[in-house]
Amino acid sequence: MRSLTNKIVVITGAASGIGQSLARAMAARGAVLALVDIDELALEALCAELADAGNTVSSYVIDVSNRSAMEQLPGDVVTAHGAVDILINNAGVSVGAMFDDHSIEDAEWLLDINLKGVIYGCKFFLPHLKQSPEANIVNISSMFGLFSMPGQAMYSASKAGVRGFTEALWTELSNTSVRVMTVHPGTIRSNVIRSSRMLDPQAQLKAVQLQEKFGMSTDKAAEKIVRAIEKNKLRVLVGADAHIAEFLKRLFPVSLQRLVGMFFD
């Protein structure tokens, strides 16, 4: 993508974490923003910040797992801005629990947001994106979309699903003006773990502390993602741990999971 100036960019999960940093990074490049989140107050604060800085921005308080709301969203964005050039499906949640202890309600909640939300975004925005001479779909997966960890079975299922879905979509759209990219962040200092549904509060606290100590900042992660969009990449790994995970999974596709199992035994 030659330039992001005046490109109309839709970002879900925009009110915090990587989504918030992506909004700021896109705004710094002169993009027009349509920001989506379920947290109305945080979304309003971000939009006010960006508008005060001279950026063109609109906001939409939506749960990405709500099919009817997502189906209506593209029309609202086009009405506000005239077109859509980039869709970033970033909204995501986490549940930390062994599968035996994992409620089916939490599993459905996670899959509805992490996977169905991405599918809804792609399905309903795609007709509009095809009208752009230069469009991008960016789907945020995870390092756990490349390999799996105990206590993250459903999260890994959702993120591996995003990976597989995105790669198929990339192939299907390869002869169109729409480019598609999947993003695999490693440990990022975002709110995903802090706001996750975890059965063990002490385990959650420890995970947050490790994330704060070793994680990459959301601003740095967002910058890597935006640069990858500018280069029309198919996939981007964000963070040293994501690169290491991919390397080990390629080198030891079976043994890596055995090693992880021994570590958590």
Side-chain angles (χ1 to χ4, degrees):
M1 188 162 277
R2 291 182 294 275
S3 172
L4 293 173
T5 302
N6 295 323
K7 295 293 184 183
I8 298 153
V9 183
V10 179
I11 305 173
T12 69
S16 64
I18 292 177
Q20 184 182 79
S21 293
L22 281 168
R24 289 171 176 152
M26 287 289 186
R29 287 165 166 80
V32 175
L33 300 173
L35 304 183
V36 181
D37 205 285
I38 198 170
D39 187 337
E40 183 173 6
L41 292 178
L43 187 61
E44 285 180 355
L46 176 62
C47 289
E49 170 199 320
L50 297 175
D52 288 346
N55 300 286
T56 301
V57 57
S58 61
S59 65
Y60 307 86
V61 180
I62 288 176
D63 178 349
V64 297
S65 68
N66 185 320
R67 174 178 170 175
S68 61
M70 289 295 286
E71 194 166 4
Q72 181 180 332
L73 177 61
D76 291 343
V77 173
V78 171
T79 297
H81 302 295
V84 179
D85 299 302
I86 300 173
L87 168 66
I88 304 178
N89 287 305
N90 166 74
V93 294
S94 173
V95 175
M98 294 298 182
F99 186 68
D100 275 355
D101 302 319
H102 206 305
S103 74
I104 197 66
E105 289 78 15
D106 279 350
E108 290 173 339
W109 171 73
L110 184 150
L111 289 171
D112 284 350
I113 294 171
N114 289 8
L115 184 53
K116 287 174 66 176
V118 170
I119 294 170
Y120 288 159
C122 292
K123 182 64 175 179
F124 299 133
F125 273 100
L126 188 53
H128 301 280
L129 290 164
K130 284 184 173 180
Q131 301 302 311
S132 172
E134 196 177 43
N136 283 73
I137 293 173
V138 180
N139 293 333
I140 308 296
S141 178
S142 168
M143 174 175 68
F144 292 151
L146 302 171
F147 83 109
S148 302
M149 293 282 284
Q152 294 292 329
M154 295 311 304
Y155 185 78
S156 291
S158 70
K159 294 303 186 178
V162 169
R163 175 177 59 82
F165 168 75
T166 306
E167 290 174 357
L169 193 61
W170 177 87
T171 306
E172 292 180 9
L173 297 175
S174 59
N175 292 323
T176 74
S177 63
V178 184
R179 297 294 173 260
V180 186
M181 180 174 77
T182 183
V183 180
H184 295 273
T187 306
I188 308 295
R189 296 199 299 274
S190 67
N191 292 326
V192 172
I193 296 177
R194 188 176 286 107
S195 61
S196 68
R197 296 181 179 181
M198 292 187 73
L199 299 183
D200 186 342
Q202 289 302 116
Q204 185 171 23
L205 177 60
K206 183 178 179 180
V208 169
Q209 290 171 340
L210 289 172
Q211 181 187 52
E212 291 299 317
K213 183 175 181 179
F214 297 108
M216 178 184 291
S217 72
T218 58
D219 289 345
K220 187 173 180 180
E223 191 62 28
K224 288 181 179 292
I225 295 167
V226 173
R227 287 197 202 122
I229 294 170
E230 292 171 329
K231 295 177 181 178
N232 281 327
K233 288 191 174 183
L234 166 61
R235 185 178 68 166
V236 59
L237 304 174
V238 180
D241 50 352
H243 284 273
I244 292 169
E246 188 209 29
F247 174 77
L248 291 176
K249 186 65 174 179
R250 284 176 178 269
L251 198 60
F252 308 108
V254 176
S255 300
L256 177 60
Q257 291 302 145
R258 288 176 176 163
L259 180 64
V260 170
M262 290 172 58
F263 181 78
F264 278 88
D265 192 9

